[in-house]
Amino acid sequence: MRAEIDLPLLVDRASSQALAVQVGDQLRDAMRSGALKEGERLPSTRALAGLLGVSRTVVVDAYQQLYAEGWLDGRHGSGTFVASSGDCMITQRESPGQEGYHRRTARSRTANPQVGGDAPEVLHDHAKGGEAGVGVVDLRPGRPWVGAYDVAAWRRAWRSAGDVPPADRRDMRGHLPLRELLADHLRRTRAVPTSPANVMVTQGTGHGLDLIAATLVRPGARAGVEEPGWRVARNVLAARGAEIVPCPVDDQGVIVEALPDDLEVLYTTPAHQFPVGGRLPIPRRERLLAWARRTGALIVEDDYDAEFRYDVGPLPALHGLDPARVVLLGTLSKSLSPDVGLGWLVAPEPMLDMIARRRHELADSVPGPVQAAVTTLLAKGDLDRHLRRMRREYARRRAAIVEALGPLVCGDTAGLHVLIELPEHVVPGLVRRAEERGVLLDTLERHHHGPPRVHGLVLGYGSASLAEVRRGCAVIGELLSPAGH
């Protein structure tokens, strides 16, 4: 049985150091020294705030920071505990860039909601499938963590799907109850004021893009795709007869001034550019929309991992700024699992009518039981709770990468991957030697349509555990050190 510990903590209001930082530093020191041992229970945020004579927000901020670093573990209805050594940081010294990281993450509450507030009582942990073998650390991007989920919620969703009788026809837009819930989800999470009449249920982002291309993109049309960018988008548009036009990006996203005026469609990832990682700032979003209005181009906005962001507030979706000019694509493949095979497309109703008719001609739809199960996950709040848990978990992994690789890390404010920009000649040997040591890496070169303009690694931390992320980063750090060359 895990006991609750009572520690003599002090705060100095005359100090220039923030109170939350003082509390966090003293707790961290206690865990490093062994004064706080694995499994010991910390006082609740309310109780500790009362003991110290500070606001509860101070303690919440301190606990959130320690949770993001991996020192604490939370369970719904049980409290906050010192994490096991397999999860917490056990090194006795901080890396050179760690203090700066503390300052950045202390500002964010969206990345690390209150510790212990949402974890289910029963989680399922199973072996990961895929190409990586036993003992191999897979830091390639594109996959979420599916090793832990709420078994009760998952089973309840599929039982409820079994209670829905089979239909004798398919709604090309998707089940109305699901579209109503998705519209509410988008309003709450992405500030997109839409209605069920503007939402279509798809099989995911790639499928939604294909429906758009099959309906609206004529053979020979010039279609812009970010460079570097998502290869699937290029493949989908090219398969429908479009001429692919690479559109350069920088560390903030697509470069509006470099867009040609004869594009009929532009595919873009403004929330977290893949793979460079930029977030398109508001002024550039406004310039992009002005370009689209002037040229008549359709913008396809891929919102693939917008639910996950760190140290930064949400930026409005392009679709919310101009629903008539932007089609919004979303998916559960990153927030839940690609195995669910469900996403959404948001567009003006006349355009959605055209896509629905084309979809009927292609005999295309999402299976009814899948829609029914996701409807239950949304209606019961299970998906929201899962997202909150995963934001905390991904924040811990992202923190481990930033701590280990420091100034090399770019594009880390959102999503499930970061960019490590490196000289061109370093990358092939680094990838080869890392694989020899059991760490699989992805290169930035692979995501270019033409000759690579930028070189480096695209590190994904969605499908690797916290311990695996730390091990993989340690290998990368060693190979990049003077001794590793």
Side-chain angles (χ1 to χ4, degrees), residues 322-403:
D322 192 342
R325 185 56 58 188
V326 182
V327 177
L328 177 68
L329 299 178
T331 180
L332 292 181
S333 67
K334 300 299 184 292
S335 55
L336 186 58
S337 167
D339 202 31
V340 175
L342 190 137
W344 51 88
L345 182 159
V346 185
E349 196 167 354
M351 186 183 296
L352 217 58
D353 287 338
M354 296 171 58
I355 296 174
R357 288 195 295 270
R358 181 64 170 139
R359 193 173 192 181
H360 180 75
E361 294 170 357
L362 297 172
D364 175 89
S365 66
V366 177
V370 173
Q371 295 190 62
V374 174
T375 297
T376 298
L377 290 173
L378 282 164
K380 298 292 186 181
D382 297 319
L383 181 60
D384 285 343
R385 283 185 284 273
H386 178 76
L387 285 173
R388 288 193 289 268
R389 290 194 301 270
M390 296 317 299
R391 285 189 191 110
R392 290 197 298 267
E393 181 56 39
Y394 290 140
R396 301 169 78 181
R397 300 177 196 183
R398 175 258 198 179
I401 293 177
V402 172
E403 184 197 20

Side-chain angles (χ1 to χ4, degrees), residues 71-305:
W71 288 105
L72 300 182
D73 185 22
R75 288 292 181 269
H76 179 60
S78 299
T80 302
F81 302 86
V82 179
S84 67
S85 59
D87 290 331
C88 68
M89 296 179 180
I90 57 176
T91 127
Q92 293 297 313
R93 64 180 182 86
E94 296 181 351
S95 65
Q98 189 174 6
E99 183 180 356
Y101 171 69
H102 290 336
R103 286 197 298 269
R104 286 191 296 150
T105 54
R107 293 196 302 265
S108 173
R109 296 190 190 178
T110 55
N112 309 308
Q114 183 178 342
V115 174
D118 297 295
E121 295 187 14
V122 180
L123 293 177
H124 183 61
D125 196 1
H126 59 83
K128 292 178 296 181
E131 302 172 8
V134 177
V136 173
V137 176
D138 191 348
L139 294 184
R140 295 172 298 183
R143 291 190 296 168
W145 180 252
V146 295
Y149 59 88
D150 187 340
V151 176
W154 184 255
R155 289 176 176 168
R156 178 171 60 240
W158 289 101
R159 280 198 302 267
S160 69
D163 292 336
V164 178
D168 61 354
R169 67 188 67 189
R170 296 173 291 187
D171 186 337
M172 291 297 106
R173 293 176 183 244
H175 291 182
L176 179 58
L178 177 55
R179 289 189 282 121
E180 290 173 338
L181 289 165
L182 286 173
D184 180 67
H185 177 76
L186 290 168
R187 177 188 57 78
R188 290 184 292 104
T189 63
R190 299 296 292 126
V192 173
T194 191
S195 73
N198 298 113
V199 177
M200 174 177 284
V201 180
T202 70
Q203 296 174 27
T205 300
H207 177 245
L209 181 60
D210 186 55
L211 289 174
I212 294 169
T215 307
L216 305 173
V217 178
R218 61 180 179 81
R222 285 168 58 81
V225 179
E226 294 169 331
E227 174 75 346
W230 191 37
R231 292 186 304 159
V232 172
R234 295 196 295 267
N235 296 341
V236 166
L237 291 166
R240 291 294 180 180
E243 176 190 348
I244 302 302
V245 180
C247 299
V249 304
D250 59 17
D251 60 355
Q252 293 186 327
V254 67
I255 302 173
V256 178
E257 291 71 22
L259 294 175
D261 286 350
D262 60 349
L263 296 181
E264 293 191 16
V265 62
L266 171 68
Y267 167 87
T268 183
T269 53
H272 187 227
Q273 200 280 330
F274 185 85
V276 175
R279 298 174 78 234
L280 204 66
I282 294 294
R284 195 179 295 194
R285 290 175 186 239
E286 293 173 344
R287 295 201 304 274
L288 178 59
L289 292 172
W291 166 85
R293 296 184 195 110
R294 178 175 59 81
T295 63
L298 175 69
I299 296 176
V300 179
E301 177 182 15
D302 184 349
D303 218 31
Y304 69 104
D305 64 2

